[in-house]
């Protein structure tokens, strides 16, 4: 076990939602935490945990080499996220910057390279217990999911060809304290009465509380059998879209969204039309409805985590209600 050993780790995306929780957990174990951060980033949480900061980004090969000095574990969670924009912009960060990082890691003697992917790599259809044996589609609906597939393939090729000790984690929709992206947008849509269910809101969410993801990550670092493997990660319980959204509304004291539901087939046509129109106008902002949002709100997204349970010993510590209470409490204090 590595828990009591003072090992050195590099966390990319350390100032972000997931990265900041990883910094906290690794520092709490007595690890030497290093972080590659942009000069403009808020590093207060990192400084509070005595992380070593290297100023730069993943496209700066000199900064990457400096950040990797003496490192035994790399936790790579930096990524360009979103559901809109040219695929080339996503590829520059999610694939090409990763390529540079992996190449630099070949000069290191690493214990583990944990690559954070997403359950979004699976086909945009209903899922009922889908596991890691499912083949991934060659073409995806947007730049984010497309380049997440490509980045997985790149990371695993470094394992096969250069024996880099890569583990790929596929978390679902991550929620928890310090989420400054999805939660505020959901609440804004609720306040404006814009949120509509698709298909009745009965489909499963593929959600994971950030604390559960952190624990799974540390298991992936510790378990030798994890090298070269891919793991789906969720909270391990069925949570419907409606339960997820109603829990947020109840927690912050907003009325629950009215049960007005758009049929899935109609939502797909609407999203296609809105996306087409936005592309014609070369809009930098996503339209109100995209294929990715139809997937999030309308598809049944139930994925098996049996492999992570079996091979990593993953047992989600927080159930959905506990995780959502923590999430809402943080948001009410910090919004």
């Amino acid at each position: 076990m590595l828990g009591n050993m003072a090992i050195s780790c590099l966390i990319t995306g350390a100032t972000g939602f997931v990265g900041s929780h990883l910094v906290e957990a690794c520092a709490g174990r007595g690890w030497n935490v290093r972080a590659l951060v942009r000069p403009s980033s808020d590093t207060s949480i990192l400084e509070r945990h005595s992380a070593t900061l290297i100023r730069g980004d993943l496209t700066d090969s000199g900064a990457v080499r400096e950040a990797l000095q003496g490192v035994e574990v790399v936790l790579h969670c930096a990524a360009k996220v979103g559901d809109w924009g040219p695929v080339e912009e996503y590829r520059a960060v999610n694939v090409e910057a990763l390529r540079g990082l992996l190449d630099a890691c070949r000069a290191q003697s690493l214990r583990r390279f944990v690559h954070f992917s997403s359950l979004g790599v699976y086909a945009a259809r209903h899922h009922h217990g889908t596991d890691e044996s499912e083949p991934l589609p060659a073409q995806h609906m947007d730049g984010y999911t497309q380049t997440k597939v490509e980045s997985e393939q790149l990371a695993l090729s470094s394992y096969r060809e250069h024996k880099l000790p890569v583990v790929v984690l596929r978390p679902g929709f991550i929620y928890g304290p310090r989420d400054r992206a999805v939660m505020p947008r959901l609440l804004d849509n609720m306040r404006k009465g814009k949120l509509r269910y698709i298909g009745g809101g009965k489909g499963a969410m593929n959600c994971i509380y950030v604390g559960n993801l952190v624990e799974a990550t540390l298991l992936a670092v510790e378990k030798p059998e994890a090298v070269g493997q891919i793991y789906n990660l969720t909270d391990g319980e069925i949570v419907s879209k409606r339960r997820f959204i109603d829990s947020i509304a109840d927690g912050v004291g907003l009325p629950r969204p009215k049960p007005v539901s758009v049929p899935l087939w109609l939502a797909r046509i609407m999203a296609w039309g809105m996306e087409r129109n936005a592309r014609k106008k070369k809009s930098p902002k996503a339209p109100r409805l995209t294929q990715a949002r139809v997937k999030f709100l309308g598809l049944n997204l139930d994925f098996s985590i049996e492999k992570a349970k079996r091979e990593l010993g993953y047992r989600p510590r927080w159930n959905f209600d506990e995780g959502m209470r923590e999430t809402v409490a943080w948001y009410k204090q910090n919004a």
Side-chain angles (χ1 to χ4, degrees):
M1 300 289 282
L2 301 177
N4 298 321
M5 296 175 63
I7 67 171
S8 181
C9 69
L10 170 64
I11 300 173
T12 70
T15 58
F17 171 31
V18 175
S20 67
H21 284 277
L22 288 169
V23 168
E24 199 169 52
C26 293
R29 289 185 157 211
W31 293 10
N32 170 28
V33 177
R34 298 171 68 82
L36 184 62
V37 297
R38 292 193 180 103
S40 59
S41 296
D42 178 1
T43 57
S44 53
I45 291 176
L46 282 61
E47 290 165 16
R48 198 180 311 146
H49 294 286
S50 303
T52 300
L53 308 182
I54 297 88
R55 304 287 176 176
D57 63 39
L58 285 170
T59 62
D60 181 344
S61 59
V64 168
R65 286 195 299 272
E66 182 185 350
L68 283 168
Q69 287 181 10
V71 162
E72 300 158 88
V73 171
V74 175
L75 305 178
H76 178 54
C77 54
K80 178 175 172 59
V81 300
D83 60 356
W84 190 249
V87 67
E88 293 79 13
E89 292 181 8
Y90 288 89
R91 193 169 281 128
V93 177
N94 297 347
V95 182
E96 296 310 319
L98 171 61
R99 191 187 309 278
L101 177 61
L102 291 167
D103 288 347
C105 284
R106 287 162 58 184
Q108 301 292 122
S109 180
L110 293 183
R111 293 174 183 266
R112 201 75 79 247
F113 185 107
V114 180
H115 175 68
F116 287 77
S117 184
S118 166
L119 287 175
V121 297
Y122 292 104
R125 61 168 178 80
H126 291 302
H127 290 272
H128 300 274
T130 297
D131 66 20
E132 297 84 351
S133 65
E134 168 100 356
L136 303 183
Q139 295 296 318
H140 262 287
M141 63 172 64
D142 56 46
Y144 174 71
T145 47
Q146 178 66 39
T147 57
K148 274 300 185 182
V149 172
E150 294 171 11
S151 66
E152 273 196 18
Q153 293 167 344
L154 181 60
L156 290 169
S157 71
S158 287
Y159 161 68
R160 290 190 301 269
E161 295 168 18
H162 305 293
K163 306 303 179 190
L164 203 68
V166 169
V167 183
V168 173
L169 302 183
R170 290 177 180 165
F173 172 75
I174 307 162
Y175 66 103
R178 301 181 203 147
D179 167 25
R180 297 186 183 275
V182 178
M183 177 76 89
R185 193 167 69 193
L186 276 173
L187 285 168
D188 185 54
N189 284 335
M190 283 187 209
R191 290 189 183 103
K192 293 175 179 175
K194 289 183 176 180
L195 198 148
R196 295 288 183 273
Y197 292 110
I198 297 173
K202 296 176 182 176
M205 286 279 286
N206 58 350
C207 50
I208 181 167
Y209 179 61
V210 68
N212 289 333
L213 175 55
V214 167
E215 294 208 343
T217 302
L218 296 174
L219 288 168
V221 172
E222 292 177 348
K223 300 287 186 178
E225 54 267 50
V227 173
Q229 298 299 316
I230 300 169
Y231 297 100
N232 293 344
L233 293 171
T234 70
D235 286 334
E237 61 181 297
I238 300 293
V239 175
S240 70
K241 321 282 188 184
R242 181 168 289 184
R243 181 182 168 196
F244 186 89
I245 291 167
D246 284 353
S247 295
I248 295 172
D250 293 349
V252 300
L254 283 174
R256 292 182 174 187
K258 293 176 182 177
V260 178
S261 182
V262 177
L264 180 59
W265 64 267
L266 179 57
R268 281 176 158 156
I269 292 171
M270 290 168 64
W272 180 84
M274 289 183 192
E275 287 185 339
R276 185 167 177 263
N277 191 44
R279 287 193 193 97
K280 281 175 70 176
K281 293 179 178 177
K282 298 185 178 177
S283 173
K285 292 183 69 175
R288 183 177 166 188
L289 194 61
T290 63
Q291 295 296 340
R293 291 172 198 180
V294 170
K295 178 180 177 181
F296 177 76
L297 288 168
L299 295 180
N300 192 79
L301 302 174
D302 172 33
F303 296 89
S304 170
I305 60 168
E306 289 307 308
K307 183 179 177 183
K309 286 182 173 181
R310 184 175 65 250
E311 296 185 9
L312 300 181
Y314 172 57
R315 298 291 183 273
R317 186 194 298 188
W318 288 269
N319 64 31
F320 171 72
D321 289 333
E322 292 166 339
M324 187 53 74
R325 274 197 301 270
E326 295 286 332
T327 304
V328 169
W330 181 89
Y331 187 83
K332 287 165 74 173
Q333 198 167 18
N334 293 274

